[in-house]
Amino acid sequence: MLSAEEKSEIDHEITKFPVRRSACLEALAVVQRHRGWVSDDTLKAVADYVGMSATELDGIATFYNLIYRKPVGKKVVRICDSVSCFIMGYDKIRSKIEQELGIQLGQTTPDQEFTLLPTPCLGTCDHAPALMINDSLHRDLNEDNVAQILRHE
Ligand code: FES
């Protein structure tokens, strides 16, 4: 069930589109902002609210890597694994992050603080390797600065 606040925010998004269901991705983003991720029950509630089937909406939710269909930590570290970052040291950066956080790619720390996920190109290839922590972009990574970045996030 959606909260009054979530419905209000989704209603605002719906005003930006000619068709109610066209706001489905924005509606998912709204509930994810409130709940941290999109459970099956939440997905069904959003689908009902925007007027589409849960199956249709799940197809959209699982296509976008910024919609989380499983619980994630408070801070989601998304490390770019596309070609420029891969050439410029992705493996070393990923290993350093895994060592710092004590988790592997795809996992969440036991305190639910960090989740480490891969992401395709972040559009900053001239400053590879790069990652994002929630909405913050970090570029020109190396084994030293990535550890500092994690500690200060
Ligand atoms: S390949 Fe990583 S930012 Fe483009």
Side-chain angles (χ1 to χ4, degrees):
M1 188 170 158
L2 301 176
S3 70
E5 194 177 355
E6 288 168 331
K7 284 181 182 175
S8 169
E9 289 179 31
I10 293 170
D11 287 344
H12 176 71
E13 295 300 330
I14 287 171
T15 64
K16 300 174 185 172
F17 295 90
V19 179
R20 189 176 181 86
R21 59 189 286 143
S22 298
C24 63
L25 192 54
E26 284 73 12
L28 289 170
V30 165
V31 294
Q32 181 167 280
R33 238 184 350 263
H34 284 272
R35 304 173 186 214
W37 65 291
V38 180
S39 69
D40 289 345
D41 288 346
T42 300
L43 183 107
K44 174 84 171 74
V46 172
D48 289 345
Y49 198 68
V50 299
M52 60 198 303
S53 75
T55 304
E56 283 178 300
L57 187 58
D58 193 36
I60 292 166
T62 54
F63 179 79
Y64 289 97
N65 66 349
L66 293 178
I67 299 297
Y68 306 125
R69 292 287 281 120
K70 292 182 179 171
V72 291
K74 268 172 45 188
K75 298 164 195 166
V76 180
V77 180
R78 294 182 298 115
I79 181 170
C80 174
D81 62 1
S82 293
V83 63
S84 297
C85 289
F86 197 85
I87 291 168
M88 295 300 288
Y90 161 84
D91 275 334
K92 285 181 181 167
I93 301 300
R94 192 202 67 220
S95 294
K96 184 68 179 181
I97 295 170
E98 289 176 340
Q99 179 192 328
E100 287 287 319
L101 299 180
I103 57 174
Q104 303 288 304
L105 200 62
Q107 296 180 334
T108 298
T109 54
D111 62 1
Q112 311 299 311
E113 196 66 19
F114 288 95
T115 296
L116 178 60
L117 297 174
T119 189
C121 182
L122 292 168
T124 186
C125 311
D126 54 333
H127 290 279
L131 60 73
M132 288 191 78
I133 302 178
N134 292 345
D135 294 333
S136 302
L137 177 65
H138 299 277
R139 314 183 300 173
D140 300 310
L141 301 174
N142 57 53
E143 288 171 277
D144 295 327
N145 67 15
V146 78
Q148 285 184 330
I149 288 165
L150 290 171
R151 286 188 202 115
H152 290 100
E153 271 293 328

